[in-house]
Amino acid sequence: MFSATSFSDAVDKMSVQIGIYALAAFSVLFIVCALIFDRSRRYLSDIPTVGRPSLPVFSYIGVIRYLANAPSIIHEGYTKHKGSSFKFAESGRWRVLLTSPEAVEELARAPEDVLSFHAAANDSIQLAYTLGPNIERDPYHIPLIRNQLVRNVPRMIDDIRDEVVCAFRDEIQPHDARNGWISVQLKDVVAHIVCRVANRAFVGLPLCRNTDYLAVNTGFTMDVVLGSALIKHFPSFLKPFVAKFCTNIPASIDRIVRHLEPIIPERLRVAAESKLSGRKEGNSPNDLLQWLIESAPEGPERTVPALALRILVLNFAAMHTTSTVLTHTLYYLAAHPEHAAILRDEVEGVVQDEGWSKAALGNMRLVDSFLKEVGRVTGMGAIAMNRKALRDFTFLDGTFIPKGTFVAAAARPIHWDGEHYANPEAFDPWRFATMSNRNSKTGEQLVNTNDHYLLFGHGRHAWCVTQKAHCLVTDRRGLCSPGRFFAATLLKLMLAHVVATYDVKFADNMEAHAVPPPTWVSLSMVPNRSAEVLFRERRSKH
């Protein structure tokens, strides 16, 4: 038998051995990754590197710098290599960024089977494991957004407007008002409002106001982002296990199912009876859930869990960008309260002539310009138009992109380039309205994209329902729905309501025209979460 001392010594030796084996395994893994990384570096050797060094193994110093300060790396690369391209290190791979308008246009027009938006998004969010293969395999919800949602917005505008009014009234209450001013921590409040307003069109009343239903949808983006970040570090055979037992995604799906379980079976029953009788119900709900039920293929997709998952996916796609843009917009409105009266005059004049309608929103050109300028100076991140090369591709300027490489546009420095925009560092809320007045054919509205306005991407994939890795509404051909038109409607309705209903400002101790600094998470910009904005309800409003 072992003595206590000998047993302790054995445990110590075993611990040392385990440590040695773990260190050896890590070293082998590190070397293998470095060799793979170095191999891709050789293929991309003609493309200059930023975030030095680019030598094998030591390239990971660039990865650490990228994680800590990605925007400065992108700015450095754009400044040094404007007109061509550059690359920088990410974990285990390189990403190539394009800077010239010509290359951005090529990227926008490249076939999906060559430079794939869908493959890049799947890689980023591990779609097959986070949301399941059916979402990728059968995206039947795409035509619904393209054909039903956008087409029905004019009919839904009264309901959406009603939800905007009720959501702001419920969220901005004078329970702690001082001299009529109400202090609001904006980031989470805006997410809640956007979720309510979008779900008035997605599932209708009363569910769009259910607190737990809204909480699941507003939190699901983070569930997927964190879940995919974890899953991608495991081999394929372990990924299903990690997704099921090590992320919050299954629990969130179960919560959404519980909310929709009382609703979907009855709608399925009515739809089945209508199909048998050959008559369409004249009083069917006019919302996205109903269109999903009417369009879902027979079989597993016509079940409560499958339909609930589609609603969750569409919320995931719709929430992030819309709430981020609105948060930034209200920060800029609070930092520049002198612009509110101009916006208010436009809104009140248009509403007096046309009421609250889709056509009226189209005539709010200053509201549109304000939103678009906020999108220019903030953006959703440092890059846009992320693609993965499924085949070797050579741009017209000679830039060679080998299969498997990720390539994107350097969106943020493009938005801040004086060759594209006069005085680009300044926030000019009427910039795009002025540009439209000079040339009505340029299409300077919020929903329009070009090679130097990339908030929604550009080209055939221009912002499905959101940009970056959160776009889950692309079909097998890589074609996306015009979800940005729906999002633009929501944004314009909400900004118009705010300026017509409230005075907005920061506290008096804030520096004039200062906007709360955002947080950067690698390439993504997150609005300041702790900043508070003061609202005061106006006495005279429409």
Side-chain angles (χ1 to χ4, degrees):
M1 294 178 65
F2 284 115
S3 68
T5 302
S6 61
F7 180 77
S8 175
D9 291 342
V11 170
D12 289 341
K13 290 179 181 178
M14 185 178 298
S15 298
V16 171
Q17 288 177 334
I18 291 173
I20 292 172
Y21 292 148
L23 179 61
F26 176 80
S27 300
V28 171
L29 179 63
F30 184 83
I31 292 170
V32 169
C33 289
L35 291 173
I36 295 173
F37 197 73
D38 184 44
R39 183 183 177 204
S40 65
R41 182 187 66 84
R42 292 198 303 271
Y43 283 125
L44 297 168
S45 59
D46 291 337
I47 299 175
T49 302
V50 295
R52 296 283 184 183
S54 63
L55 295 174
V57 179
F58 294 103
S59 299
Y60 282 87
I61 296 174
V63 175
I64 295 171
R65 185 184 167 200
Y66 150 75
L67 292 173
N69 202 10
S72 68
I73 293 178
I74 307 305
H75 178 76
E76 174 190 338
Y78 189 86
T79 301
K80 291 180 178 179
H81 307 292
K82 180 180 173 182
S84 57
S85 59
F86 61 93
K87 68 180 184 291
F88 64 92
E90 295 181 310
S91 181
R93 68 188 183 198
W94 294 99
R95 189 187 297 270
V96 175
L97 289 191
L98 309 173
T99 67
S100 71
E102 295 79 12
V104 171
E105 284 290 349
E106 279 190 84
L107 184 64
R109 298 174 190 230
E112 173 67 14
D113 61 353
V114 179
L115 298 179
S116 175
F117 177 93
H118 193 58
N122 285 350
D123 179 87
S124 297
I125 62 170
Q126 299 289 298
L127 179 58
Y129 306 102
T130 53
L131 299 176
N134 284 354
I135 300 297
E136 178 182 10
R137 187 165 50 237
D138 187 10
Y140 71 88
H141 53 282
I142 301 303
L144 301 182
I145 301 172
R146 181 182 297 119
N147 300 324
Q148 294 281 73
L149 182 60
V150 174
R151 190 177 64 204
N152 277 280
V153 162
R155 293 172 51 198
M156 306 169 76
I157 202 74
D158 288 342
D159 288 341
I160 297 173
R161 157 76 180 158
D162 175 66
E163 202 59 39
V164 168
V165 173
C166 293
F168 274 93
R169 182 188 63 212
D170 292 345
E171 293 293 333
I172 302 177
Q173 296 183 357
H175 57 278
D176 59 350
R178 297 187 299 272
N179 300 321
W181 290 99
I182 305 160
S183 181
V184 176
Q185 201 168 55
L186 204 57
K187 182 70 170 62
D188 293 335
V189 166
V190 165
H192 202 261
I193 289 172
V194 168
C195 193
R196 271 187 62 167
V197 173
N199 276 277
R200 183 66 178 264
F202 290 176
V203 298
L205 289 169
L207 187 55
C208 70
R209 298 179 183 178
N210 182 287
T211 303
D212 187 68
Y213 173 84
L214 296 173
V216 180
N217 282 300
T218 54
F220 191 65
T221 295
M222 191 56 64
D223 292 343
V224 173
V225 170
L226 294 178
S228 60
L230 176 66
I231 292 166
K232 67 174 59 176
H233 288 95
F234 287 83
S236 296
F237 73 93
L238 283 178
K239 288 183 178 184
F241 176 88
V242 175
K244 184 174 183 179
F245 296 105
C246 301
T247 74
N248 290 330
I249 295 170
S252 294
I253 294 173
D254 289 343
R255 284 170 69 187
I256 287 293
V257 168
R258 288 197 295 271
H259 284 293
L260 289 168
E261 214 157 22
I263 301 171
I264 292 176
E266 175 62 17
R267 291 202 190 188
L268 284 169
R269 183 191 65 78
V270 173
E273 291 179 355
S274 299
K275 186 174 181 180
L276 285 175
S277 65
R279 294 178 300 178
K280 185 174 178 63
E281 290 291 323
N283 59 349
S284 296
N286 187 40
D287 57 35
L288 191 57
L289 174 59
Q290 184 64 27
W291 305 330
L292 284 170
I293 289 171
E294 293 170 356
S295 302
E298 295 294 337
E301 282 300 316
R302 295 185 67 81
T303 63
V304 174
L307 290 164
L309 179 59
R310 297 278 167 171
I311 290 292
L312 193 58
V313 166
L314 289 167
N315 268 284
F316 169 66
M319 277 292 303
H320 175 70
T321 300
T322 310
S323 61
T324 297
V325 172
L326 184 60
T327 302
H328 284 310
T329 298
L330 295 181
Y331 282 158
Y332 273 86
L333 185 65
H336 299 270
E338 69 274 12
H339 300 319
I342 299 172
L343 292 170
R344 185 177 300 127
D345 287 345
E346 178 184 68
V347 170
E348 292 180 342
V350 170
V351 169
Q352 184 174 355
D353 293 339
E354 304 180 50
W356 289 98
S357 66
K358 184 69 169 64
L361 293 177
N363 288 326
M364 295 181 186
R365 301 177 69 185
L366 299 180
V367 169
D368 189 282
S369 180
F370 193 99
L371 286 162
K372 187 160 186 172
E373 176 71 349
V374 170
R376 183 190 70 82
V377 298
T378 59
M380 293 302 300
I383 68 171
M385 303 173 64
N386 189 29
R387 305 287 190 268
K388 182 178 182 179
L390 301 184
R391 289 190 278 168
D392 292 352
F393 183 81
T394 303
F395 284 88
L396 291 177
D397 65 2
T399 300
F400 174 69
I401 305 296
K403 178 181 177 180
T405 303
F406 288 79
V407 58
R412 185 169 176 81
I414 288 173
H415 283 179
W416 287 66
D417 191 328
E419 291 189 12
H420 302 313
Y421 301 102
N423 195 14
E425 295 83 7
F427 175 71
D428 177 3
W430 325 128
R431 182 189 302 273
F432 293 99
T434 302
M435 292 168 67
S436 293
N437 289 337
R438 285 201 304 262
N439 186 353
S440 61
K441 296 181 180 180
T442 57
E444 296 296 345
Q445 291 185 330
L446 176 63
V447 295
N448 297 121
T449 69
N450 54 47
D451 55 36
H452 53 272
Y453 190 85
L454 304 173
L455 175 67
F456 302 143
H458 181 46
R460 63 190 301 174
H461 299 292
W463 206 51
C464 306
V465 174
T466 184
Q467 241 315 333
K468 299 168 56 265
H470 304 130
C471 178
L472 298 180
V473 289
T474 175
D475 64 21
R476 294 176 198 166
R477 297 169 297 160
L479 300 176
C480 293
S481 72
R484 69 186 187 278
F485 292 95
F486 177 66
T489 298
L490 301 190
L491 287 167
K492 292 171 77 171
L493 264 176
M494 290 185 284
L495 178 56
H497 173 73
V498 167
V499 298
T501 309
Y502 301 99
D503 294 316
V504 181
K505 69 173 186 175
F506 284 120
D508 293 337
N509 59 358
M510 280 281 289
E511 182 182 348
H513 297 164
V515 176
T519 299
W520 283 91
V521 182
S522 67
L523 294 169
S524 298
M525 177 194 278
V526 180
N528 191 294
R529 296 190 64 88
S530 60
E532 295 188 354
V533 174
L534 300 177
F535 287 76
R536 181 176 64 187
E537 191 168 357
R538 300 181 64 239
R539 297 182 184 278
S540 176
K541 61 183 185 296
H542 283 278

